[in-house]
Amino acid sequence: MPPHNPLSAWTFGPIRVRRCACGSVGCEQLHNKVMTDMSRRFFVGGAAAMLAPFALGPGLALAQIAPSKPRVLLTNLRLFDGSGQRVREGVQVLIEGDRIQALLGASEQVADAEVIDCQGKLVMPGLIDAHWHAMLAGIPEMVAMTSDVGYLYLSAAQEAQRTLLRGFTSVRDAGGPSFALKRAIDEGMVAGPRIFPSGAMISQTSGHGDFRLRTDLPRADNGPLSLVERVGVAMIADGEDQVLRRVREQLMLGATQIKMLAGGGVASMYDPLDSTQFTDKELRAGVAAADDWGTYVMAHVYTPKGIQRAIRAGVKSIEHGQLADEESVRMMRGEGVWWCLQPFFDDGEGNAYADPQRQASKRKTSEGTEKAYAMAQKHGVKTAWGTDILFNPKNTASQGRHLAKLTRFYDPLTLLAQATGVNGELLALSGERNPYPHTLGRIAAGAWADILVADGDPSVNLDFLTEPERNLRLIMKGGKVYKNTLG
């Protein structure tokens, strides 16, 4: 008798599929391939559909409010357009569908438009967090490592809605299985920001993404994947061939850019902060695979040696880099590499760690943060902003405050431009893999209609972003309103 095939009869709703009875090896192989693909697609689609009934909690579902007319006119406002220039008056914003159609003079009339009186308040682009973990920010580390995947998605769906209500209309996801969440948001099943997913972080053995226990070692060449790999948080790859495979898998799943871990970190258990990870050839293999798909690699790395190796390999965005030296920063500037910095201050608002080694690593990165911001400005490096809130549900509510406190380094208008128009330029590096191929982070003709109306004056400070529930009066994404307390 032929061996039992668990996919020989598979039920999808009312449809029951049976394998071909001809018995040929070719038909059998084709059948197994099709059924495996169907089951994978069913799981991914099912995970997205599973999110639909869940919102912020009882009575707190976040609904889209579609305009009653084909166009919307925002009037009586002060405009920050995301460029970093001063706030303007005497302008109106005309929206049609999901994009901004035009900026008009204050006296121009528009027929057949729903008028929203902004009451003299600030109108600005939706915020962009360029280093966010949509699946991992709002849960503790042990919950992430031990929970069912379904629970992780439900938790992430709630956090996505909270993220949007904090005024963040787009995020670049820096690692985690956020593909189904992105799909559910794009299809309107749940509310949340636009997600640029990296998929699983690519890590070497013993690297920043190797969360296995010591008792899991050694792993045979054909050994099973670890839990973290199976869930899609990180993938371990050693050697050029494995790097190519793992990067290509994430691209197949829909990654808009690739995250490679090129050095030690704070959140990982075993790798020292000063360790350099992946060889030149391994990094180049990942960069080549991403480049072949028209996109780029972002690299987690802190130290000068790791930064310089990543840049030589063709990485386009250095994530963190708080231990950089002058030579590394000049190299970033010379090669046109982005520096995505986060405010890792020892002020009680960063990610918390109980382990003494991780606490020591956190202190080192905190000490390097001020120097990093100073060098970025001194050398004119293209600087993006992100939070990297990780395994810290108590800290996600402070997302806007992580931006506001950086006015110690930048004037508020420049800083707000960093979290809107500048971050939008970084997201556009995804090229043909960009799932939202219009301008983000700007209020200009043709840009996505991702708009906030706020009580605040960014020429003075950004403190209004620390209390979004009170100060963000209207939140619009893609021309749909998710919050309006203008009255």
Side-chain angles (χ1 to χ4, degrees), residues 53-84:
F54 297 89
L56 293 171
L60 293 175
L62 191 57
Q64 303 173 3
I65 305 172
S68 59
K69 295 183 179 181
R71 294 188 287 181
V72 175
L73 183 67
L74 303 182
T75 188
N76 187 17
L77 55 91
R78 297 175 294 115
L79 179 67
F80 174 80
D81 65 5
S83 68

Side-chain angles (χ1 to χ4, degrees), residues 213-331:
L213 300 176
R214 293 170 62 88
T215 52
D216 293 329
L217 303 180
R219 180 164 74 179
D221 288 342
N222 60 346
L225 297 177
S226 65
L227 173 62
V228 169
E229 292 174 289
R230 293 197 304 273
V231 171
V233 173
M235 294 299 300
I236 298 170
D238 296 302
E240 297 170 69
D241 290 346
Q242 285 190 15
V243 169
L244 286 173
R245 172 182 292 181
R246 297 312 184 197
V247 168
R248 288 167 175 169
E249 286 172 346
Q250 301 315 304
L251 292 167
M252 179 178 175
L253 290 170
T256 54
Q257 65 285 321
I258 295 297
K259 171 85 170 288
M260 294 189 71
L261 306 175
V266 179
S268 41
M269 287 292 293
Y270 308 114
D271 57 322
L273 185 64
D274 63 339
S275 64
T276 305
Q277 299 172 14
F278 282 128
T279 65
D280 292 301
K281 290 182 178 180
E282 288 171 324
L283 284 171
R284 290 180 188 277
V287 168
D291 183 69
D292 283 346
W293 276 52
T295 187
Y296 68 99
V297 169
M298 54 193 289
H300 160 106
V301 63
Y302 284 97
T303 64
K305 180 180 177 182
I307 291 169
Q308 292 177 32
R309 179 180 291 183
I311 294 173
R312 287 194 299 269
V315 164
K316 296 298 183 185
S317 177
I318 297 297
E319 307 298 309
H320 315 314
Q322 276 85 352
L323 304 183
D325 59 10
E326 294 273 353
E327 182 182 356
S328 303
V329 180
R330 284 194 295 267
M331 193 173 178

Side-chain angles (χ1 to χ4, degrees), residues 60-125:
L60 293 175
L62 191 57
Q64 303 173 3
I65 305 172
S68 59
K69 295 183 179 181
R71 294 188 287 181
V72 175
L73 183 67
L74 303 182
T75 188
N76 187 17
L77 55 91
R78 297 175 294 115
L79 179 67
F80 174 80
D81 65 5
S83 68
Q85 302 299 312
R86 64 179 181 84
V87 174
R88 287 185 282 162
E89 297 183 1
V91 63
Q92 302 179 102
V93 181
L94 180 62
I95 300 158
E96 183 164 3
D98 55 13
R99 282 182 281 164
I100 297 167
Q101 185 180 56
L103 300 185
L104 307 174
S107 61
E108 293 188 58
Q109 302 293 315
V110 178
D112 196 28
E114 179 179 328
V115 177
I116 297 179
D117 183 352
C118 297
Q119 304 170 11
K121 301 183 187 301
L122 177 71
V123 168
M124 57 173 280

